[in-house]
Amino acid sequence: SLEVDRGSTICRPTMTDTLLWLLSAGLIIAGVAGTVLPALPGTLLVLAGIVLGAWIDDFTRVGWGVLAVVGAMAVLAWVLDYVAGVLGARRAGASRQALIGAAVGTVAGVFTGLIGLLFMPLVGAAAGEYIAQRDHGRAMKVGVSTWVGMMLGLIAKVVLAFMMISVFVSVRVLCCCSC
């Protein structure tokens, strides 16, 4: 809630509101990081921060319609992230072992820094396919195709996360509200 200084048109947020806004911003920032780090549910955290921000303001500026649009973007980001990797792998005819290898590579990438995070899924998919087929050329083709699909999904997820944030900020800024 906001405190209104009598005799003034200045609205001052309470300490609780300030802490809640910091939590909302923290969730959104963690969510943006989570769009690239597989250990964090990126778009879910962005969505949680946005819902919290709308709730702090009693949904006066950011209403249920906006939240539905932002929620649909979050679901779309999750679906695209999943489907892109699978389609890349399927397009190359990846085996089950290649898909498992890509998943293991993704997790291993978390512990090896940014370069590992980006390229360990490729290594994992190629290794999994090589174990399944014992063909170097095919393993590389599957690894690269799986990696390209995963990177396209990641790019889509990042773009959608920033679109979610943009919708929220735009509505907050453009919506006129008197305390």
Side-chain angles (χ1 to χ4, degrees):
S1 69
L2 296 172
E3 296 174 357
V4 179
D5 185 6
R6 303 240 184 253
S8 171
T9 58
I10 299 172
C11 298
R12 293 189 194 109
T14 64
M15 180 63 88
T16 303
D17 285 344
T18 301
L19 292 174
L20 287 171
W21 277 113
L22 288 172
L23 177 60
S24 174
L27 285 168
I28 291 170
I29 290 166
V32 169
T35 59
V36 245
L37 298 172
L40 295 173
T43 52
L44 180 61
L45 290 173
V46 170
L47 180 61
I50 289 171
V51 170
L52 177 59
W55 178 78
I56 295 167
D57 201 29
D58 291 324
F59 304 98
T60 55
R61 294 183 187 176
V62 179
W64 291 107
V66 172
L67 291 177
V69 168
V70 170
M73 288 178 178
V75 169
L76 179 61
W78 180 81
V79 168
L80 286 176
D81 186 40
Y82 175 76
V83 168
V86 170
L87 286 178
R90 294 279 184 226
R91 183 172 183 179
S95 66
R96 186 172 190 277
Q97 290 91 332
L99 295 175
I100 292 170
V104 170
T106 300
V107 172
V110 171
F111 303 106
T112 58
L114 182 61
I115 299 299
L117 190 60
L118 291 175
F119 293 105
M120 287 301 288
L122 181 149
V123 172
E129 189 63 25
Y130 183 76
I131 290 168
Q133 301 293 327
R134 302 280 186 225
D135 179 349
H136 290 310
R138 179 170 173 71
M140 280 309 296
K141 178 183 175 197
V142 166
V144 169
S145 294
T146 302
W147 179 78
V148 167
M150 291 175 77
M151 291 301 109
L152 290 174
L154 180 123
I155 290 167
K157 185 169 54 170
V158 169
V159 167
L160 281 163
F162 279 105
M163 287 175 63
M164 292 165 64
I165 296 165
S166 296
V167 166
F168 174 68
V169 170
S170 297
V171 170
R172 287 258 330 134
V173 169
L174 296 176
C175 180
C176 297
C177 184
S178 61
C179 297

